Amino acid sequence: MLYKFKSKAAGDLIMLEPNGRQVLEIVGKTPQPKGILLPADMSAAIAALEAAVVQEEAERRAATDRARAEGAPAPVFEAVSLRQRAAPMIDMLRRCAKAEAEIVWGV
């Protein structure tokens, strides 16, 4: 399944189901086949995504530092970080918040 996020203020954003679900959970939305994100909720959604990115990066650094301190091999992480996956959504949220346009998916 794919999530296709649409808005009048930005181009469509397509995400694979696991990534779209993760982003929706971070911004506080239930990952359903259809939904809407209102302009009033976008500032909080941006803040939540940015906080999740910072947290993931801190966790990756801590795991790498622990492995280095223990003399263990460096941990293997997903090739694409949350920062890379969330960047297009954060950009879309900023554009839509500025234009006061909602974001919908599954319609």
Side-chain angles (χ1 to χ4, degrees):
M1 179 180 152
L2 296 174
Y3 279 100
K4 186 173 184 179
F5 299 96
K6 302 178 189 182
S7 176
K8 293 179 181 178
D12 292 354
L13 173 60
I14 299 172
M15 290 186 170
L16 294 173
E17 192 274 334
N19 308 121
R21 181 175 13 91
Q22 180 186 25
V23 166
L24 289 173
E25 288 172 348
I26 290 169
V27 301
K29 290 291 190 177
T30 304
Q32 297 180 358
K34 294 182 181 184
I36 186 168
L37 188 60
L38 299 172
D41 301 328
M42 291 181 187
S43 292
I46 292 168
L49 283 169
E50 289 174 341
V53 166
V54 169
Q55 180 181 351
E56 180 189 74
E57 289 174 347
E59 289 170 359
R60 284 181 173 208
R61 272 192 304 276
T64 302
D65 291 345
R66 266 193 313 275
R68 192 174 300 139
E70 296 169 357
V76 178
F77 303 110
E78 285 189 43
V80 181
S81 68
L82 180 59
R83 175 177 294 282
Q84 293 166 309
R85 293 190 195 284
M89 178 58 90
I90 292 170
D91 181 57
M92 183 180 216
L93 285 163
R94 286 188 177 132
R95 289 173 186 239
C96 293
K98 185 177 179 180
E100 296 186 18
E102 65 275 344
I103 297 173
V104 297
W105 62 92
V107 293

